[in-house]
Protein backbone atom coordinates (compact mmCIF):
# COMPACT_ATOMS: atom_id res chain seq x y z
CA UNK A 1 0.00 0.00 0.00
CA UNK A 2 1.39 3.40 -0.96
CA UNK A 3 0.06 6.38 0.96
CA UNK A 4 0.84 10.06 0.98
CA UNK A 5 0.88 12.64 3.73
CA UNK A 6 2.31 12.71 7.27
CA UNK A 7 -0.56 10.92 9.06
CA UNK A 8 1.51 8.50 11.15
CA UNK A 9 1.27 7.38 14.76
CA UNK A 10 4.35 9.35 15.75
CA UNK A 11 2.98 12.48 14.09
CA UNK A 12 -0.52 12.14 15.53
CA UNK A 13 -2.16 14.74 17.74
CA UNK A 14 -2.92 13.14 21.10
CA UNK A 15 -5.42 15.65 22.49
CA UNK A 16 -8.40 14.27 20.55
CA UNK A 17 -9.03 17.49 18.62
CA UNK A 18 -8.68 16.08 15.10
CA UNK A 19 -11.43 15.22 12.62
CA UNK A 20 -10.86 12.11 10.52
CA UNK A 21 -12.95 11.57 7.41
CA UNK A 22 -12.91 8.20 5.71
CA UNK A 23 -14.39 8.82 2.31
CA UNK A 24 -13.93 9.62 -1.31
CA UNK A 25 -11.68 11.80 -3.43
CA UNK A 26 -13.16 12.47 -6.86
CA UNK A 27 -12.36 14.33 -10.05
CA UNK A 28 -15.41 16.46 -10.83
CA UNK A 29 -16.31 17.56 -14.34
CA UNK A 30 -18.89 20.29 -13.83
CA UNK A 31 -20.97 21.34 -16.85
CA UNK A 32 -23.25 24.36 -16.43
CA UNK A 33 -25.71 24.80 -19.30
CA UNK A 34 -28.36 27.45 -19.89
CA UNK A 35 -30.52 25.99 -22.64
CA UNK A 36 -32.25 22.59 -22.55
CA UNK A 37 -30.00 19.64 -23.38
CA UNK A 38 -30.23 18.97 -27.12
CA UNK A 39 -30.34 15.20 -27.57
CA UNK A 40 -28.08 13.91 -30.34
CA UNK A 41 -26.25 17.19 -30.95
CA UNK A 42 -24.41 20.03 -29.17
CA UNK A 43 -25.46 22.05 -26.15
CA UNK A 44 -23.30 25.03 -25.18
CA UNK A 45 -21.98 24.72 -21.63
CA UNK A 46 -19.34 26.08 -19.28
CA UNK A 47 -17.22 23.06 -18.33
CA UNK A 48 -14.59 22.88 -15.61
CA UNK A 49 -12.54 20.06 -14.12
CA UNK A 50 -12.26 20.41 -10.35
CA UNK A 51 -11.24 18.37 -7.30
CA UNK A 52 -14.24 16.91 -5.50
CA UNK A 53 -15.67 13.97 -3.60
CA UNK A 54 -18.12 14.10 -0.68
CA UNK A 55 -15.48 13.17 1.88
CA UNK A 56 -12.78 15.45 0.49
CA UNK A 57 -15.18 18.37 0.09
CA UNK A 58 -16.39 18.02 3.68
CA UNK A 59 -12.79 17.91 4.90
CA UNK A 60 -11.96 21.17 3.12
CA UNK A 61 -15.04 22.91 4.52
CA UNK A 62 -14.18 21.70 8.03
CA UNK A 63 -10.83 23.45 7.72
CA UNK A 64 -12.56 26.55 6.35
CA UNK A 65 -14.82 26.56 9.43
CA UNK A 66 -11.86 26.52 11.81
CA UNK A 67 -10.86 22.92 12.51
CA UNK A 68 -7.06 22.96 12.68
CA UNK A 69 -6.46 19.23 12.19
CA UNK A 70 -8.56 17.59 9.48
CA UNK A 71 -7.48 14.29 7.97
CA UNK A 72 -8.86 12.12 5.21
CA UNK A 73 -8.31 8.51 4.20
CA UNK A 74 -9.28 7.75 0.59
CA UNK A 75 -8.21 5.72 -2.44
CA UNK A 76 -7.24 7.26 -5.78
CA UNK A 77 -5.78 6.19 -9.10
CA UNK A 78 -2.04 6.58 -9.57
CA UNK A 79 -2.18 8.94 -12.52
CA UNK A 80 -3.54 12.02 -10.73
CA UNK A 81 -2.66 11.25 -7.11
CA UNK A 82 -0.24 14.19 -6.89
CA UNK A 83 -2.84 16.67 -8.16
CA UNK A 84 -5.43 15.61 -5.58
CA UNK A 85 -2.88 15.54 -2.78
CA UNK A 86 -1.75 19.07 -3.63
CA UNK A 87 -5.33 20.38 -3.76
CA UNK A 88 -6.04 18.92 -0.32
CA UNK A 89 -2.77 20.21 1.11
CA UNK A 90 -3.51 23.71 -0.15
CA UNK A 91 -6.87 23.51 1.62
CA UNK A 92 -5.18 22.52 4.88
CA UNK A 93 -6.24 18.85 4.87
CA UNK A 94 -3.82 16.10 5.87
CA UNK A 95 -4.37 13.47 3.21
CA UNK A 96 -3.64 9.78 3.41
CA UNK A 97 -4.27 8.61 -0.13
CA UNK A 98 -4.02 4.93 -1.00
CA UNK A 99 -2.79 4.50 -4.56
CA UNK A 100 -4.78 2.03 -6.66
CA UNK A 101 -2.81 0.57 -9.56
CA UNK A 102 -5.86 -0.96 -11.24
CA UNK A 103 -8.69 1.57 -11.09
CA UNK A 104 -8.62 5.28 -11.91
CA UNK A 105 -9.67 7.98 -9.51
CA UNK A 106 -13.45 8.22 -9.22
CA UNK A 107 -14.97 10.69 -11.67
CA UNK A 108 -18.30 12.50 -11.51
CA UNK A 109 -19.87 14.47 -14.35
CA UNK A 110 -22.11 17.08 -12.74
CA UNK A 111 -24.76 18.54 -15.05
CA UNK A 112 -25.95 21.86 -13.62
CA UNK A 113 -29.04 23.52 -15.07
CA UNK A 114 -30.23 27.14 -14.87
CA UNK A 115 -31.84 26.54 -11.46
CA UNK A 116 -28.40 25.43 -10.14
CA UNK A 117 -29.75 21.92 -9.60
CA UNK A 118 -27.19 19.21 -10.34
CA UNK A 119 -27.51 15.72 -11.80
CA UNK A 120 -24.61 13.31 -11.46
CA UNK A 121 -23.08 10.71 -13.75
CA UNK A 122 -20.78 8.71 -11.49
CA UNK A 123 -17.84 6.41 -12.15
CA UNK A 124 -16.83 5.18 -8.69
CA UNK A 125 -13.39 4.08 -9.87
CA UNK A 126 -10.93 3.60 -7.01
CA UNK A 127 -13.13 5.27 -4.38
CA UNK A 128 -15.19 2.21 -3.47
CA UNK A 129 -12.13 -0.08 -3.56
CA UNK A 130 -10.97 1.23 -0.20
CA UNK A 131 -10.65 -1.98 1.83
CA UNK A 132 -9.86 -3.26 5.35
CA UNK A 133 -6.17 -3.62 4.43
CA UNK A 134 -6.07 0.17 4.00
CA UNK A 135 -7.19 0.70 7.59
CA UNK A 136 -5.23 0.82 10.84
CA UNK A 137 -6.67 1.74 14.27
CA UNK A 138 -3.60 3.97 14.67
CA UNK A 139 -5.28 6.37 12.23
CA UNK A 140 -7.59 7.28 15.13
CA UNK A 141 -4.72 8.58 17.29
CA UNK A 142 -5.61 12.12 18.31
CA UNK A 143 -9.02 11.97 16.64
CA UNK A 144 -12.01 13.49 18.41
CA UNK A 145 -14.59 12.79 15.72
CA UNK A 146 -14.85 10.34 12.84
CA UNK A 147 -16.98 10.78 9.73
CA UNK A 148 -17.79 8.16 7.10
CA UNK A 149 -18.88 9.11 3.61
CA UNK A 150 -22.04 7.20 2.79
CA UNK A 151 -20.71 6.19 -0.60
CA UNK A 152 -18.49 3.64 1.15
CA UNK A 153 -21.53 1.60 2.11
CA UNK A 154 -22.46 0.93 -1.51
CA UNK A 155 -19.86 -1.69 -2.42
CA UNK A 156 -19.03 -4.94 -0.63
CA UNK A 157 -15.31 -4.08 -0.46
CA UNK A 158 -15.64 -0.64 1.10
CA UNK A 159 -18.52 -1.85 3.31
CA UNK A 160 -16.09 -4.29 4.93
CA UNK A 161 -13.81 -1.32 5.54
CA UNK A 162 -16.59 0.66 7.24
CA UNK A 163 -17.25 -2.27 9.57
CA UNK A 164 -13.60 -2.32 10.61
CA UNK A 165 -13.52 1.45 11.08
CA UNK A 166 -16.70 1.46 13.16
CA UNK A 167 -15.35 -1.30 15.39
CA UNK A 168 -12.14 0.65 16.00
CA UNK A 169 -14.06 3.84 16.79
CA UNK A 170 -16.36 2.07 19.24
CA UNK A 171 -13.40 0.58 21.06
CA UNK A 172 -12.02 4.08 21.59
CA UNK A 173 -15.35 5.76 22.29
CA UNK A 174 -15.01 8.14 19.34
CA UNK A 175 -18.32 9.56 18.04
CA UNK A 176 -19.10 8.64 14.44
CA UNK A 177 -21.22 10.42 11.85
CA UNK A 178 -22.44 9.22 8.44
CA UNK A 179 -24.03 10.96 5.47
CA UNK A 180 -26.24 8.59 3.40
CA UNK A 181 -24.89 10.18 0.19
CA UNK A 182 -27.32 9.09 -2.55
CA UNK A 183 -30.97 8.11 -2.88
CA UNK A 184 -30.15 6.23 -6.06
CA UNK A 185 -27.54 4.07 -4.37
CA UNK A 186 -29.74 3.64 -1.28
CA UNK A 187 -32.47 2.15 -3.44
CA UNK A 188 -29.99 -0.28 -5.00
CA UNK A 189 -28.56 -1.31 -1.62
CA UNK A 190 -31.99 -1.30 0.09
CA UNK A 191 -32.60 1.03 2.98
CA UNK A 192 -32.81 -1.74 5.56
CA UNK A 193 -29.33 -2.92 4.68
CA UNK A 194 -27.96 0.61 4.98
CA UNK A 195 -29.61 1.22 8.34
CA UNK A 196 -28.23 -2.07 9.63
CA UNK A 197 -24.74 -1.16 8.43
CA UNK A 198 -24.80 2.21 10.23
CA UNK A 199 -26.36 0.87 13.42
CA UNK A 200 -24.64 2.42 16.42
CA UNK A 201 -23.40 5.62 14.77
CA UNK A 202 -23.95 8.80 16.76
CA UNK A 203 -25.04 11.20 14.02
CA UNK A 204 -26.85 10.74 10.70
CA UNK A 205 -26.72 13.59 8.15
CA UNK A 206 -29.22 12.89 5.32
CA UNK A 207 -30.79 15.37 2.95
CA UNK A 208 -34.57 15.57 2.80
CA UNK A 209 -35.01 12.94 0.08
CA UNK A 210 -32.64 10.52 1.80
CA UNK A 211 -34.43 11.02 5.13
CA UNK A 212 -37.83 10.32 3.56
CA UNK A 213 -36.52 7.20 1.86
CA UNK A 214 -34.77 5.82 4.96
CA UNK A 215 -37.69 6.51 7.30
CA UNK A 216 -40.47 5.58 4.89
CA UNK A 217 -42.24 8.87 5.65
CA UNK A 218 -43.19 11.59 3.18
CA UNK A 219 -43.23 14.40 5.72
CA UNK A 220 -39.60 15.37 6.28
CA UNK A 221 -40.15 16.40 9.91
CA UNK A 222 -41.75 13.04 10.64
CA UNK A 223 -38.90 11.32 8.81
CA UNK A 224 -36.27 13.16 10.85
CA UNK A 225 -38.06 12.33 14.10
CA UNK A 226 -38.45 8.67 13.13
CA UNK A 227 -34.77 8.29 12.24
CA UNK A 228 -33.74 9.89 15.55
CA UNK A 229 -35.38 7.00 17.38
CA UNK A 230 -32.67 4.83 15.89
CA UNK A 231 -29.72 7.26 15.74
CA UNK A 232 -29.20 9.65 18.68
CA UNK A 233 -28.77 12.76 16.52
CA UNK A 234 -30.24 13.28 13.05
CA UNK A 235 -29.67 16.48 11.10
CA UNK A 236 -31.58 16.75 7.82
CA UNK A 237 -30.48 19.31 5.24
CA UNK A 238 -33.29 21.05 3.39
CA UNK A 239 -31.40 23.00 0.75
CA UNK A 240 -32.57 26.61 0.65
CA UNK A 241 -34.92 25.88 3.57
CA UNK A 242 -32.07 25.23 6.01
CA UNK A 243 -31.92 22.16 8.24
CA UNK A 244 -33.83 20.15 10.83
CA UNK A 245 -32.31 18.80 14.03
CA UNK A 246 -33.97 15.75 15.60
CA UNK A 247 -33.19 13.86 18.80
CA UNK A 248 -34.94 11.11 20.75
CA UNK A 249 -37.90 10.94 18.37
CA UNK A 250 -38.62 14.65 18.07
CA UNK A 251 -37.53 17.61 15.96
CA UNK A 252 -35.72 19.96 18.32
CA UNK A 253 -34.71 22.78 15.96
CA UNK A 254 -35.37 24.15 12.48
CA UNK A 255 -32.44 26.23 11.27
CA UNK A 256 -33.12 28.75 8.50
CA UNK A 257 -30.67 29.40 5.67
CA UNK A 258 -29.89 32.77 4.11
CA UNK A 259 -31.31 33.36 0.65
CA UNK A 260 -28.70 33.75 -2.08
CA UNK A 261 -28.54 33.53 -5.85
CA UNK A 262 -27.33 29.97 -6.42
CA UNK A 263 -24.82 29.16 -9.15
CA UNK A 264 -24.14 25.47 -8.52
CA UNK A 265 -25.53 23.25 -5.75
CA UNK A 266 -22.80 20.63 -6.23
CA UNK A 267 -21.34 19.83 -2.82
CA UNK A 268 -23.69 22.02 -0.75
CA UNK A 269 -24.44 19.08 1.53
CA UNK A 270 -20.71 18.36 1.85
CA UNK A 271 -20.11 21.97 2.90
CA UNK A 272 -22.83 21.63 5.52
CA UNK A 273 -21.32 18.39 6.81
CA UNK A 274 -17.79 19.75 7.09
CA UNK A 275 -18.82 22.93 8.89
CA UNK A 276 -21.25 21.07 11.16
CA UNK A 277 -18.59 18.56 12.22
CA UNK A 278 -15.98 21.26 12.81
CA UNK A 279 -18.42 23.13 15.03
CA UNK A 280 -19.36 20.00 16.97
CA UNK A 281 -15.70 19.18 17.50
CA UNK A 282 -15.22 22.69 18.89
CA UNK A 283 -18.01 22.08 21.41
CA UNK A 284 -21.09 23.56 19.72
CA UNK A 285 -24.51 22.10 20.46
CA UNK A 286 -26.35 20.48 17.53
CA UNK A 287 -28.48 23.53 16.67
CA UNK A 288 -25.51 25.92 16.73
CA UNK A 289 -23.47 23.46 14.66
CA UNK A 290 -26.32 23.24 12.15
CA UNK A 291 -26.26 27.04 11.87
CA UNK A 292 -22.57 26.83 10.93
CA UNK A 293 -23.46 24.12 8.43
CA UNK A 294 -26.14 26.27 6.82
CA UNK A 295 -23.72 29.20 6.50
CA UNK A 296 -21.20 27.01 4.72
CA UNK A 297 -23.85 25.44 2.50
CA UNK A 298 -25.13 28.88 1.52
CA UNK A 299 -21.63 30.04 0.60
CA UNK A 300 -20.94 26.89 -1.38
CA UNK A 301 -23.82 27.37 -3.82
CA UNK A 302 -22.50 30.77 -4.88
CA UNK A 303 -19.45 29.22 -6.56
CA UNK A 304 -18.83 26.38 -9.00
CA UNK A 305 -17.79 23.01 -7.58
CA UNK A 306 -17.91 21.46 -4.14
CA UNK A 307 -14.86 23.00 -2.44
CA UNK A 308 -14.43 26.38 -0.71
CA UNK A 309 -13.34 29.06 -3.18
CA UNK A 310 -9.58 29.50 -3.48
CA UNK A 311 -8.14 32.98 -3.20
CA UNK A 312 -5.17 32.25 -5.46
CA UNK A 313 -7.06 31.07 -8.52
CA UNK A 314 -8.32 27.77 -9.82
CA UNK A 315 -6.15 24.64 -9.64
CA UNK A 316 -4.78 23.29 -12.91
CA UNK A 317 -6.52 20.42 -14.67
CA UNK A 318 -4.89 17.06 -13.80
CA UNK A 319 -2.90 15.47 -16.61
CA UNK A 320 -2.49 11.71 -17.09
CA UNK A 321 0.80 10.49 -15.70
CA UNK A 322 2.80 7.26 -15.51
CA UNK A 323 1.78 4.67 -12.93
CA UNK A 324 3.39 5.09 -9.52
CA UNK A 325 4.40 2.43 -7.07
CA UNK A 326 1.50 1.24 -5.00
CA UNK A 327 -0.99 -1.47 -4.28
CA UNK A 328 -4.40 -2.35 -5.60
CA UNK A 329 -7.02 -4.09 -3.54
Amino acid sequence: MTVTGPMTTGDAVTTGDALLIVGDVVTDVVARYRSPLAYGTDTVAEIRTLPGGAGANAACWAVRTGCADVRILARVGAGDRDWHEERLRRSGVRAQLVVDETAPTATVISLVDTSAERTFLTDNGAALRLCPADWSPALLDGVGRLHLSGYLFFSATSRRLTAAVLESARERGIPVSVDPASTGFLVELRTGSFLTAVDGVDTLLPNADEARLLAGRQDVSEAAAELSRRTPLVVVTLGAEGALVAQAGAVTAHIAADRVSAVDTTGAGDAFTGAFLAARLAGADPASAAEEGCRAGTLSVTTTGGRPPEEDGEPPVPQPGPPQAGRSG
Side-chain angles (χ1 to χ4, degrees):
M1 175 177 68
T2 296
V3 298
T4 65
M7 200 191 312
T8 63
T9 304
D11 186 55
V13 176
T14 58
T15 55
D17 58 358
L19 169 65
L20 172 62
I21 295 177
V22 181
D24 50 327
V25 169
V26 174
T27 300
D28 282 348
V29 180
V30 181
R32 294 176 57 209
Y33 58 96
R34 292 179 171 80
S35 59
L37 290 176
Y39 181 76
T41 185
D42 295 308
T43 301
V44 174
E46 175 188 292
I47 301 174
R48 296 164 71 187
T49 301
L50 300 168
N57 292 345
C60 294
W61 282 100
V63 173
R64 176 68 173 257
T65 307
C67 188
D69 188 352
V70 181
R71 314 169 186 181
I72 185 168
L73 172 66
R75 183 177 271 252
V76 297
D80 53 8
R81 184 272 309 269
D82 292 345
W83 183 72
H84 279 291
E85 181 188 31
E86 172 62 12
R87 304 280 42 89
L88 289 164
R89 185 194 65 77
R90 280 176 52 176
S91 294
V93 177
R94 301 171 67 196
Q96 180 137 333
L97 302 183
V98 181
V99 175
D100 195 307
E101 293 293 342
T102 303
T105 300
T107 301
V108 170
I109 298 175
S110 179
L111 304 176
V112 183
D113 64 19
T114 53
S115 72
E117 184 57 80
R118 78 288 184 276
T119 300
F120 295 146
L121 300 175
T122 302
D123 181 345
N124 290 314
L128 301 192
R129 289 164 57 84
L130 202 62
C131 65
D134 301 329
W135 173 251
S136 167
L139 295 174
L140 291 174
D141 289 352
V143 170
R145 280 190 173 269
L146 169 70
H147 179 71
L148 294 173
S149 173
Y151 286 105
L152 297 176
F153 292 89
F154 301 134
S155 85
T157 299
S158 53
R159 200 156 51 242
R160 288 193 293 271
L161 166 84
T162 64
V165 174
L166 286 170
E167 181 179 359
S168 297
R170 287 170 186 142
E171 289 174 353
R172 297 197 184 201
I174 296 173
V176 181
S177 56
V178 174
D179 66 279
S182 166
T183 53
F185 289 154
L186 283 173
V187 169
E188 289 184 21
L189 177 64
R190 297 189 179 181
T191 58
S193 297
F194 178 82
L195 289 171
T196 298
V198 301
D199 188 45
V201 305
D202 302 271
T203 304
L204 193 64
L205 297 162
N207 65 25
D209 289 339
E210 292 158 0
R212 293 186 184 101
L213 179 62
L214 289 169
R217 303 286 184 90
Q218 285 303 305
D219 182 89
V220 68
S221 294
E222 292 180 4
E226 179 64 27
L227 289 172
S228 72
R229 294 185 175 95
R230 183 179 189 120
T231 302
L233 175 62
V234 175
V235 182
V236 181
T237 55
L238 307 174
E241 301 303 316
L244 294 176
V245 178
Q247 296 171 278
V251 172
T252 57
H254 182 181
I255 310 302
D258 292 335
R259 296 289 180 171
V260 296
S261 179
V263 171
D264 176 12
T265 57
T266 301
D270 307 334
F272 180 97
T273 294
F276 175 86
L277 294 175
R280 288 289 284 158
L281 191 58
D285 61 74
S288 297
E291 290 176 358
E292 287 290 343
C294 285
R295 277 192 280 272
T298 296
L299 176 60
S300 76
V301 302
T302 63
T303 188
T304 301
R307 303 275 178 93
E310 294 191 3
E311 295 180 357
D312 52 349
E314 296 300 331
V317 175
Q319 299 298 322
Q324 302 176 34
R327 169 192 177 280
S328 62

